[in-house]
Amino acid sequence: MNKQVKRVAIIGAGPAGLTAAYLLGKAGGFNVQVFEKDAQYVGGISRTEHYKGYYFDIGGHRFFSKSQEVEDFWTEILGDELLERPRSSSIYYNHKLFSYPLVAGEALRKLGLLEAGLCVLSYLQSRMFPIKNPANFEEWVSNQFGGRLFRIFFKTYTEKVWGIPCTQISADWAAQRIKGLSLSSAIWNAVFPRRKQHKQGPIIKTLIDSFRYPKFGPGQMWETCKAKAEALGVVVGMNQPITQLFYHQDKHQWQIGHQNSWVEGEFDYVICSAPLRQLVGGIKNPLSLAVRDAAQGLAYRDFITVVLMLKDQHRFNENWIYIHDPNVKVGRVQNFKSWSPYMVPDKEMACYGLEYFCFEGDGLWNSSDADLVALGTSEMVTLGLIDGGMVLDSYVVRQPKAYPVYNQEYQTHIETIKRGLQPFEGLILTGRNGMHKYNNQDHSMMTAMLAVKNIVAGEMKYDLWKVNQDAEYHEDGELANAGGRSIPTSV
Ligand SMILES: Cc1cc2nc3c(=O)[nH]c(=O)nc-3n(C[C@H](O)[C@H](O)[C@H](O)COP(=O)(O)OP(=O)(O)OC[C@H]3O[C@@H](n4cnc5c(N)ncnc54)[C@H](O)[C@@H]3O)c2cc1C
C-alpha cells in the first residue's frame, strides 16, 4: 500500500511555529506549510523590527533556558551570531535608580534608614503572620517580601503591566514569575557573588546576570530559522492569516482557510500558535456555547513601544529600567544599544524603547504616533533620563495580545476549552497565546518540540500542557501543583 505523506499546517511563524517547522523539516517525510499573518516579519512577539539601521525588540528578549535542548537549538540556528551579554537592570523609584536585583547596601542607602527599617519590620511581620492561602498577587508577594516592599517595588509596575489592581491578579502568576525569590534570597544574592549561588541550587529566574542575545536582536534567530526550514523544503507563507478551520470527522483531517477562501487540500495535523480565543472563534464545526463563551472570556493585555533615537548622553547604561513611578504612564525603558551594540548604526547615538501597557482600542492604543512620541519624550524628560529637545527620530510599534492575562477565571476557561476540543484529532495547541501561557520563548519552543515528537511517533506521547514555565516536561503537570486542580489531557 502507498504510504501517504502526512500534511502539516503550522499557524504562526513565531518561536513555536518556526521551531516546529524546522524540526519537521529535519525529520523529513512530511509536507509542511507555515501560515503567518504578518506581511513582513517572522518571530511573532520575538520579532525585531528595524528602521533606518536601528533594530528594536518588542520588549527586550533574553535568550536563557534551563532546557539544554532549547539552548542547543538556538546554537544550532545562530552559532557565533549569538552573543553572551551582561544583564544590567534597575528600578526607578522616588527619582532614584536602584540596581535590580537589589544590592543590599545601595538599597538601604537610597531608601534611607527609616524606610529601610520599616521595610524590614514589615517583612518580619509577613513572615510571622503570613496570609494563609494567598489568593492574589498582592497577598502572594506581600507574604514573600512584606507589604511595604510590595508597595515600593512591585505594585506600580505590575498594575501598569496588567491594567488591573494586584488584588485581581492570580497568585499563580507571581508564583511562576518570581518563583524562588524571597527577600532572604534577594539579600543573599546581594551579599554573596552569584557564582557561589549557582553551585548551591537552582538558579533563581529573575536574578540571572547574563544571557545570550543575537547580534541583531531576536528577529535574527527567527529569520535564520525560517531560512533554514525553507532550505529543508518547508513552505512559509507571509500575509496569510488563518481565520477558519473545519474538522472532517470521517477523514480525521482538517481544512483551514483565510477570510473568504479555503487552502487547497486537507491537513493531517494543525499546529496552532494563534491566540486560543481566535482559534476557537474560527472553528466551523459545532461547539457548545460554554466552549465558545470560555474562549471569549480569555483576556489579553496589549503593548506599545515608543522608540526614541537621540545623541547618546550616557545617562544610563542598563539594558532596561523598570519605572515605579505612578506619575508617568511608561512602565519600562529599554536601552537597545546595551542589548547589542549592533542594534544602533552609529555609536554616538542611543535608541530607547519606552514600553506602554494598554488595551487594544483604549485611549493610548488609539493615540496617533506623533502624540505617543510627544508623551514618551516628555515623560523621559520628567524622569530625568533625557533632556528636552534631544530626540532626533522616532518610531512606534503596536503589539496586540502581548500578554495572555491570568485573571481569576482563566484556568476554568482553559479547562472548558480543552474538554471542548478533545474530539478533534490532530489539532495541536502550542506556544504563548496558543495555550494562553504567560511564557518565554523556551516554553513555546518546548511545546513545539514535543508536538513534533508526537507527530513523528504518530501518537500523542507527550501532553504539551505538562511543560512547565521553565520549559521542563513534568509528568505530574504544573497546574496540578500550582492550583491543586488537574486538567484532563487534551489536544
Ligand atoms: C514585553 C515582552 C518581553 C519578553 N521578553 C522575553 C525574554 O526576555 N525572553 C524570552 O524568551 N521571551 C520573552 N518574551 C516572550 C516571547 O515574546 C514569547 O514567549 C514568544 O514570542 C512566544 O512565541 P509563540 O510562537 O508562542 O507566539 P508569538 O510570538 O505570539 O507568535 C505567534 C505568531 O503567530 C502569528 N499569528 C497569530 N494569529 C495568526 C493567524 N490567525 N494566522 C496566521 N498567523 C497568526 C503571529 O503574527 C505571530 O507571528 C517577552 C514577551 C513580551 C511581550
Side-chain angles (χ1 to χ4, degrees), residues 150-423:
F150 161 74
R151 283 188 293 281
I152 294 176
F153 290 126
F154 290 89
K155 183 177 160 66
T156 313
Y157 176 73
T158 309
E159 291 188 348
K160 276 184 193 172
V161 173
W162 297 106
I164 48 176
C166 286
T167 48
Q168 286 176 30
I169 299 169
S170 156
D172 286 3
W173 182 82
Q176 278 179 20
R177 298 302 290 190
I178 320 177
K179 190 163 50 180
L181 184 67
S182 65
L183 187 64
S184 44
S185 59
I187 290 173
W188 174 272
N189 199 70
V191 175
F192 296 99
R194 202 68 43 78
R195 248 175 243 101
K196 285 183 189 165
Q197 194 188 18
H198 284 199
K199 284 184 195 145
Q200 282 173 358
I203 301 163
I204 294 169
K205 209 178 208 163
T206 50
L207 298 185
I208 292 157
D209 57 1
S210 81
F211 53 86
R212 295 202 291 169
Y213 189 75
K215 251 177 159 177
F216 293 98
Q220 187 186 5
M221 175 69 71
W222 302 113
E223 294 290 346
T224 311
C225 184
K226 170 182 178 264
K228 291 195 169 185
E230 285 172 329
L232 293 165
V234 171
V235 175
V236 182
M238 303 299 291
N239 200 11
Q240 303 230 6
I242 297 300
T243 53
Q244 47 179 347
L245 301 94
F246 184 80
Y247 181 63
H248 291 280
Q249 201 102 34
D250 48 341
K251 298 191 262 186
H252 303 284
Q253 283 184 322
W254 285 90
Q255 215 168 349
I256 65 171
H258 312 297
Q259 196 69 39
N260 298 311
S261 61
W262 292 95
V263 173
E264 213 186 306
E266 280 96 33
F267 293 88
D268 301 283
Y269 297 99
V270 177
I271 298 178
C272 182
S273 61
L276 196 45
R277 188 165 84 188
Q278 276 176 12
L279 170 80
V280 173
I283 294 181
K284 298 298 173 198
N285 302 75
L287 282 174
S288 75
L289 197 60
V291 175
R292 301 254 180 226
D293 285 349
Q296 282 309 310
L298 295 177
Y300 303 90
R301 187 75 167 149
D302 310 293
F303 183 87
I304 298 171
T305 306
V306 176
V307 183
L308 304 180
M309 296 117 188
L310 61 156
K311 259 219 149 0
D312 196 352
Q313 298 167 290
H314 300 285
R315 285 286 161 80
F316 61 96
N317 290 317
E318 284 88 338
N319 304 102
W320 70 90
I321 299 176
Y322 298 101
I323 308 295
H324 283 264
D325 184 334
N327 299 314
V328 292
K329 290 187 174 143
V330 62
R332 193 166 53 180
V333 177
Q334 299 289 345
N335 180 9
F336 292 116
K337 197 160 78 175
S338 291
W339 284 83
S340 159
Y342 298 92
M343 303 284 276
V344 173
D346 176 349
K347 63 180 186 335
E348 299 297 313
M349 299 291 286
C351 178
Y352 300 136
L354 283 52
E355 300 179 355
Y356 290 91
F357 308 94
C358 57
F359 290 111
E360 206 174 339
D362 72 8
L364 213 51
W365 183 268
N366 286 336
S367 299
S368 68
D369 288 4
D371 286 348
L372 288 168
V373 170
L375 174 73
T377 306
S378 80
E379 292 197 341
M380 287 292 275
V381 173
T382 304
L383 295 170
L385 296 177
I386 65 170
D387 290 335
M390 296 298 293
V391 173
L392 299 176
D393 209 345
S394 59
Y395 187 92
V396 173
V397 186
R398 287 178 180 75
Q399 176 61 50
K401 300 190 176 53
Y403 295 89
V405 173
Y406 278 16
N407 53 23
Q408 303 284 9
E409 302 87 38
Y410 88 98
Q411 284 198 16
T412 314
H413 291 329
I414 300 285
E415 279 184 76
T416 307
I417 295 168
K418 286 167 71 178
R419 258 188 247 111
L421 296 184
Q422 232 160 9

Side-chain angles (χ1 to χ4, degrees), residues 407-468:
N407 53 23
Q408 303 284 9
E409 302 87 38
Y410 88 98
Q411 284 198 16
T412 314
H413 291 329
I414 300 285
E415 279 184 76
T416 307
I417 295 168
K418 286 167 71 178
R419 258 188 247 111
L421 296 184
Q422 232 160 9
F424 302 116
E425 286 173 31
L427 173 62
I428 306 177
L429 308 184
T430 55
R432 180 170 170 110
N433 287 332
M435 300 175 84
H436 206 80
K437 286 262 181 184
Y438 178 58
N439 69 4
N440 278 327
Q441 294 172 95
D442 58 347
H443 174 276
S444 280
M445 293 169 65
M446 184 52 69
T447 58
M449 287 169 170
L450 295 181
V452 170
K453 285 181 185 167
N454 284 343
I455 290 173
V456 170
E459 56 173 317
M460 294 297 144
K461 281 168 70 173
Y462 299 99
D463 175 1
L464 275 48
W465 296 93
K466 290 181 177 171
V467 178
N468 74 8

